[in-house]
Amino acid sequence: MNPAANPAPGTMPGVMHPVLSGVGAALPSRVIGNDHFLPLDATDAWITRRTGIRTRHRLGPGETLADLAERAAREALADAGRHPHEVDHVLVCTLTPDRITPGIAPELAARLGTDGPPAIDLNAACAGFVYALDHACALVETGRAGCVLVCAAEALSRVTDHHDRSTAVLFGDAAGAVVVTAHSTAERPVFLLGSDGRHTELLYADREERLLRMEGREVFEFAVDNMTEQTRKVLGAGGIGLDDVDLFIGHQANARILLAVAAELGLPEARVEIAVDSVGNTSSASIPHALWQARERGRLPAGARIVMAAFGAGFVWGAGLMRWKTDRPQRHRTHRPEAEGFEYDRTHRTDSASSEHDRTHHPEKDSHEHERTHTPTVNPSDQGDTPCQR
């Protein structure tokens, strides 16, 4: 059989499709271990068994979310071989911005030295990254952009009740970013998004208290069922099976949720990326951070097919199927899609600087080495008041 005569579902030779071409991540330098929660009667064994979390990071004095976003974005652009002048659109997903207004996106665009592209914040809670990625792909597919920067940045420590044992142990601060560009050999991405506002009271933060409140068991059950269902649907829409998936990255809320979804799907744990153990639940930043971790661990071969699934307050949810880049372009080379027959309506400067950006510094590697430990298996018999537990 001639593969060229029978392209994979969603693939047409010569047609430009969006692809993930770069990834970056950043964490605050302050590391919070499980012993920090002993005054709440939460031991390391208790937290680890129920959540899989061992450490999380929090912004310190003088650190802003925009600082994290900039570090993650610069690394993603460097990984994609793109200069800030080439960015046509900036999307930042966050529910914890530095200010009520303006958003982080315009500040990030300015910090990076872009040419002033459209820049907006998006809030879809923990599903924000998948929502933003869908928007980015639509911009590329319609020819309205050739290079879109998507950054997820969250400081959940700002909305955590640090005296509530059931939620204080869960959340951390982080940023993750990706670059979405057009590629002539990538298959068309698939995204499925949805919502059900009837469940608002199960996970929310109101305007008065401004702290996250959650009914853990109900959220756990919804998360497992929904992420499993949406993953199956997005695979079906993409015309592929589990054997065609190189890596599954779910929202990193709880290791037991991720393992439960993998078990329901029949997906080997070896193809499930788990990063929650070292960073906790970082809301919309969790999937891009896990993607970054996968790249650092050598788990993203050229052309890897990645499935993502997330759920969040609202409830809102989303799943996506996308390809990792098939090559590694020279960093900061000027890329002009219109020269390849792909037109879009933003004007690129032709005098792009060629200076190298340093790779994003990750303090946790320098000051706090984490040993990767075995993630606890799902044990439905565990009982207690920890959220996100069946």
Side-chain angles (χ1 to χ4, degrees), residues 7 84 198 259:
R198 295 174 298 175
L259 294 175

Coordinates of all heavy atoms in Angstrom, one line a residue, residues 7 84 198 259:
P7 N -3.2 8.9 3.1 CA -2.7 9.7 4.2 C -3.5 9.4 5.5 O -4.6 9.0 5.4 CB -2.9 11.1 3.8 CG -4.0 11.1 2.8 CD -3.8 9.8 2.1
P84 N 10.9 36.8 18.9 CA 9.7 37.5 19.3 C 9.0 38.3 18.2 O 7.8 38.5 18.2 CB 10.2 38.4 20.5 CG 11.3 37.7 21.1 CD 12.0 37.0 19.9
R198 N -24.1 23.7 35.7 CA -24.9 23.2 36.9 C -24.0 22.8 38.0 O -24.5 22.6 39.1 CB -25.8 22.0 36.4 CG -26.8 22.4 35.4 CD -27.6 21.2 34.9 NE -26.7 20.2 34.3 CZ -27.0 19.0 33.8 NH1 -28.3 18.6 34.0 NH2 -26.2 18.2 33.2
L259 N -4.0 8.3 36.9 CA -3.8 6.8 36.9 C -5.2 6.1 36.7 O -5.3 5.1 36.0 CB -3.1 6.3 38.1 CG -1.6 6.7 38.2 CD1 -1.1 6.2 39.6 CD2 -0.8 6.2 37.1

